[in-house]
Amino acid sequence: VSGARDTFGAMTGLYGAIQPADSVSLSTRTHGAVFNLEYSPDGSVLTVACEQTEVLLFDPISSKHIKTLSEAHEDCVNNIRFLDNRLFATCSDDTTIALWDLRKLNTKVCTLHGHTSWVKNIEYDTNTRLLVTSGFDGNVIIWDTNRCTEDGCPHKKFFHTRFLMRMRLTPDCSKMLISTSSGYLLILHDLDLNKSLEVGSYPILRARRTTSSSDITSSGSSGPRAVGSPCHQNNSGPLSEKTLSRPSQREGGSPRNSLEVLTPEVPGERDRGNCITSLQLHPKGWATLLRCSSNTDDQEWTCVYEFQEGAPVRPVSPRCSLRLTHCIEEANVGRGYIKELCFSPDGRMISSPHGFGIRLLGFDAHCSELVDCLPREASPLREIRSLYSHNDVVLTTKFSPTHCQIASGCLSGRVSLYQPKF
């Protein structure tokens, strides 16, 4: 998908004509809900992470079922990440990570043991070939795939925090973002994955709330919150007040792995806590995309926060590195389940689960680049199109990296594909 400004009019027309192209109806008795979708980098394979231990593989162009990994894990499969066009990793509530090769799917390449609770997501640093995983044990673990054997990979605990929900790396792997169910967003700046971080060993930049205005002032933090669902539950405690009250150690240049602690502003939630359930990064590293729910679980929002780089505006009042630019309220259905949203490959559009379907959202009505339509104050995301083809709550959605196609999966186990129809 081309992101060039002079050709995006054609792409906007394609997305505007997108329709349910084909739906793959699968028996819920075997695989259950669809928790995650992932395309291979070349767009030739669509993988599906399922509630009941299975991983499904499809040809997204022909909509044909390729393979079912019936016992990929011993519990819910939560996330899938491709390392290249052939090798991919899966993680599960059985506390393990598995590596697979598309050329030999009858057996796993290896199984990785190291987490002590449900493993929820996987990232991959293509520069160092290090696999990065996080789970509800609060641990972020680094795996050295350069020295992988049938018995596993050398690994080390990189970071630990309570209430950990999701962890992501920016496209250039210069930052790690971690969201928590207590409403905190942690950012590790100038990331160095080769250095393990013990509690208290990293410099704390600041603990503050993000803002939607250009005049940035300090604000209080949200209180802790727990998330309860059959497959998404966290029993850890909140971040310690001692950690949050440490003074800033960032004077001038930033040291490696400097930790910034934020409580992102959520519309209508200024005085209440919230849970950051889903976390994604803009493909060009310009912004982060969050799905947030209120403490009472009666409201949900999709929010976009721009990264603000450079020196602090005032030395006595250091600026936040994130600013709320766009947001929209979501349908409050499927309480307790996490809805995974995503950016399009060019970063101009967002696909967000919305009730029994998905919404395509833009920064403005013309699907402009984020940098071309940054507002002074937080503005609503524009709904470009709504697509409904499910009979249950949609939990996950994903753009193809190479074709004008979107996939979605729901609680009853149905996978739908959408592409332009004229």
Side-chain angles (χ1 to χ4, degrees), residues 25 35 43 62 84 89 158 168 172 179 186 215 274 314 364 397:
S25 298
F35 283 159
S62 65
D84 53 37
F158 176 73
R168 301 291 179 199
D172 62 0
S179 66
L186 315 181
D215 184 18
N274 63 83
R314 296 188 300 272
D364 64 11
T397 179

Side-chain angles (χ1 to χ4, degrees), residues 198-366:
E198 301 297 333
V199 174
S201 68
Y202 38 80
I204 307 294
L205 299 187
R206 60 195 71 94
R208 61 184 304 125
R209 179 182 291 277
T210 62
T211 179
S212 59
S213 69
S214 57
D215 184 18
I216 297 183
T217 57
S218 298
S219 179
S221 298
S222 303
R225 178 189 188 275
V227 171
S229 76
C231 298
H232 301 88
Q233 187 173 2
N234 195 338
N235 296 319
S236 302
L239 290 166
S240 68
E241 291 300 323
K242 181 179 179 181
T243 300
L244 292 178
S245 62
R246 288 185 59 182
S248 170
Q249 298 184 20
R250 187 179 187 180
E251 299 293 341
S254 174
R256 302 300 297 271
N257 295 330
S258 298
L259 177 65
E260 183 175 18
V261 184
L262 304 172
T263 50
E265 177 188 354
V266 176
E269 289 294 288
R270 185 176 297 275
D271 299 320
R272 294 193 293 165
N274 63 83
C275 173
I276 305 173
T277 56
S278 181
L279 168 66
Q280 299 292 338
L281 274 298
H282 190 281
K284 297 179 183 178
W286 294 342
T288 182
L289 175 65
L290 305 183
R291 181 77 170 238
C292 304
S293 60
S294 64
N295 249 341
T296 53
D297 212 20
D298 58 350
Q299 289 176 289
E300 287 190 327
W301 299 267
T302 289
C303 301
V304 178
Y305 299 85
E306 170 206 11
F307 280 107
Q308 299 184 107
E309 303 293 348
V313 177
R314 296 188 300 272
V316 296
S317 179
R319 54 130 184 96
C320 288
S321 63
L322 291 180
R323 181 177 73 95
L324 177 65
T325 62
H326 298 81
C327 58
I328 192 169
E329 190 167 353
E330 297 285 7
N332 184 36
V333 294
R335 295 187 182 186
Y337 283 92
I338 295 174
K339 291 89 176 181
E340 301 286 2
L341 64 179
C342 64
F343 279 108
S344 61
D346 53 25
R348 293 176 181 256
M349 200 170 295
I350 294 165
S351 181
S352 178
H354 188 258
F356 288 10
I358 61 174
R359 287 195 297 187
L360 301 184
L361 306 171
F363 302 117
D364 64 11
H366 307 290

